[in-house]
Amino acid sequence: MVLDIGLIAVAYLLGSIPSAVWIGRRFYGVDVRQHGSKNAGATNTLRVLGLRAALPVFAIDMLKGLAAVMLSHLAGYPAGSDAMFNLKVALVAAAVIGHILPVFAGFKGGKGVATLAGAVLGVYPLAVLLCLVVFAVVFGLTRYVSLGSMSAGVAFPVFVIGVFGERSLALIVFSVVIALLLLFTHRKNIRRLLSHTESKTYLFKRKG
């Protein structure tokens, strides 16, 4: 139990690494939280600073989520056991909370989508990879990162249950909670999408 608590604390600290804030300040002299959507994430970094800054932010945010969940292997629980799964869920939550409320950046972070994707990748990798495909397709067609993120989140339990035939109640509940969490954190985006005021995002600057 003590080891589990320690691992959860480390997962929170990993999630708290404010890549968007540190990269923006160090290399561009800009705090992305003062511009655009004011979120410390890859999407706002892309809008404010461009693709060159956004790519490492996205990579770091995903990797810190994955690294947080990989800490579960240090606990010594048997693979596939309930104890291992429960610890992984706790580590996912800690990493995402760390990104949203980072201790290293005044508890003002981002929405945690990339960190969540990286963390869940450590729990159910095949379903997450399919979700990334869903995100890419929806974003490519609409240019709405928020819509792509929500679509990927909703697709997660669909893949877990419908494609992979998962029957574990704990995993099914986990997948549904992930979908609901993404919808909740994007509630403002949903309102903007419905009112046609949501900003589109382009990987490269458009000429003209």
Side-chain angles (χ1 to χ4, degrees):
M1 179 61 71
V2 175
L3 177 58
D4 287 2
I5 294 174
L7 293 175
I8 292 170
V10 173
Y12 168 77
L13 293 177
L14 283 171
S16 289
I17 296 173
S19 58
V21 176
W22 286 354
I23 288 175
R25 285 176 173 175
R26 174 65 178 82
F27 297 102
Y28 299 87
V30 172
D31 187 340
V32 295
R33 297 174 300 175
Q34 298 177 359
H35 304 274
S37 65
K38 303 187 186 305
N39 282 318
T43 301
N44 195 41
T45 301
L46 175 62
R47 290 173 179 162
V48 175
L49 301 176
L51 184 62
R52 187 175 180 180
L55 283 177
V57 168
F58 178 78
I60 292 171
D61 285 353
M62 273 202 74
L63 287 173
K64 70 186 186 184
L66 178 59
V69 172
M70 289 299 100
L71 291 171
S72 60
H73 296 287
L74 299 177
Y77 294 125
S81 66
D82 289 343
M84 173 66 91
F85 178 77
N86 292 336
L87 177 58
K88 284 186 174 182
V89 171
L91 294 173
V92 170
V96 174
I97 292 172
H99 182 88
I100 297 173
L101 300 170
V103 67
F104 302 127
F107 300 99
K108 185 180 179 183
K111 294 179 179 177
V113 176
T115 301
L116 178 63
V120 178
L121 186 64
V123 179
Y124 212 116
L126 292 179
V128 172
L129 292 175
L130 289 177
C131 289
L132 290 175
V133 173
V134 170
F135 169 82
V137 171
V138 174
F139 170 67
L141 292 174
T142 67
R143 299 301 173 183
Y144 290 123
V145 172
S146 58
L147 186 58
S149 299
M150 289 186 287
S151 299
V154 171
F156 183 54
V158 174
F159 289 141
V160 168
I161 301 168
V163 175
F164 297 104
E166 187 61 57
R167 293 296 177 265
S168 166
L169 180 60
L171 188 51
I172 290 173
V173 170
F174 172 72
S175 67
V176 172
V177 169
I178 293 298
L180 294 176
L181 175 63
L182 281 171
L183 291 174
F184 176 75
T185 57
H186 286 82
R187 58 195 183 280
K188 292 182 180 179
N189 302 87
I190 293 174
R191 288 197 290 268
R192 289 196 293 266
L193 285 167
L194 292 175
S195 63
H196 304 289
T197 58
E198 179 75 332
S199 298
K200 293 188 176 184
T201 301
Y202 296 87
L203 295 179
F204 303 98
K205 291 184 178 181
R206 302 163 68 196
K207 294 182 179 180

